[in-house]
Amino acid sequence: RDDKELWNKLRAMYEAPLRQSHPGGHTAVFNSTVYGTDWQVFMPRAAELFDSDFLRWGVRRFMKADFIPVAKDISRFKKHMDGHWFQARDAAVQAEAPEPDWIHCLFPESGIAVLRSGWTPDDMCLVLDANLAPWGGHAYPGRLSFDFSANGMALVTNPGSYLGYTSSEHTKWLDQTLSHNTVMIGGQSQ
């Protein structure tokens, strides 16, 4: 905590998924990711650690008593949800935490832009990956991907991803270059 610059970067790291989330609490689907809420597991403890009203608001907004994270492997997140976690969640839910006074955000370092109509579950949200350098998850080179939600539903996600990895009929589609909106050379998947 003595190194304020490092402390602020760490805090920003914990707040970034909330800043990028759709009004329903899911993060955007880019680079073959899952339309998940696993990142929310860390909000209660981070709200406490950083004394963050923004994270407390996120806990109040998204973490109901029956919260179960959506993730590729839920079991690895369960270990973080111990007694202290429940205390931190309950404290955040009971605290006064105002809704953010902003709705859009830009992450210039990553090229991610988030455009929202508001924070209610029925609001619209577009998350755009405008970074032109192929540095994202899985070193995925397809840029200008976007993810759109409205009325509490995912309406457009990365065409190469879907809401889970359990649908075997989509396996062949997911492994194609064409499914990720990238250029095919000679009509062949790369």
Side-chain angles (χ1 to χ4, degrees):
R1 293 185 192 196
D2 293 337
D3 185 336
K4 295 296 182 193
E5 182 180 355
L6 182 60
W7 189 252
N8 288 333
K9 285 180 180 180
L10 188 59
R11 177 183 176 146
M13 181 184 78
Y14 278 97
E15 291 182 350
L18 180 55
R19 291 183 185 280
Q20 294 178 28
S21 70
H22 286 279
H26 292 84
T27 50
V29 175
F30 292 139
N31 308 324
S32 300
T33 187
V34 173
Y35 205 65
T37 60
D38 48 339
W39 60 275
Q40 292 180 14
V41 169
F42 302 101
M43 279 198 311
R45 301 286 296 271
E48 178 182 68
L49 179 66
F50 297 106
D51 191 24
S52 169
D53 279 342
F54 180 54
L55 289 170
R56 277 191 280 274
W57 172 83
V59 172
R60 287 175 56 110
R61 172 72 176 73
F62 297 121
M63 301 188 78
K64 310 301 181 221
D66 59 350
F67 171 77
I68 298 174
V70 174
K72 287 182 186 179
D73 182 4
I74 292 174
S75 63
R76 66 184 165 146
F77 295 98
K78 183 181 173 187
K79 66 183 175 188
H80 299 287
M81 298 170 72
D82 59 9
H84 190 160
W85 182 88
F86 283 100
Q87 290 173 346
R89 185 202 61 189
D90 293 347
V93 167
Q94 294 168 10
E96 289 296 320
E99 181 174 296
D101 60 358
W102 52 271
I103 54 174
H104 311 299
C105 64
L106 174 65
F107 293 84
E109 297 85 11
S110 65
I112 301 292
V114 183
L115 305 168
R116 295 182 189 85
S117 61
W119 285 102
T120 69
D122 292 334
D123 279 314
M124 294 182 292
C125 182
L126 176 88
V127 183
L128 173 68
D129 182 355
N131 184 23
L132 299 179
W135 70 274
H138 301 290
Y140 177 64
R143 292 294 163 233
L144 301 179
S145 296
F146 69 94
D147 186 274
F148 180 71
S149 70
N151 300 321
M153 296 174 23
L155 298 177
V156 177
T157 62
N158 174 20
S161 297
Y162 54 105
L163 301 184
Y165 284 112
T166 58
S167 178
S168 60
E169 59 269 16
H170 292 106
T171 302
K172 283 189 174 188
W173 170 251
L174 297 174
D175 292 335
Q176 298 180 64
T177 299
L178 180 63
S179 72
H180 291 279
N181 277 351
T182 55
V183 176
M184 294 179 47
I185 299 170
Q188 299 294 313
S189 185
Q190 305 308 307

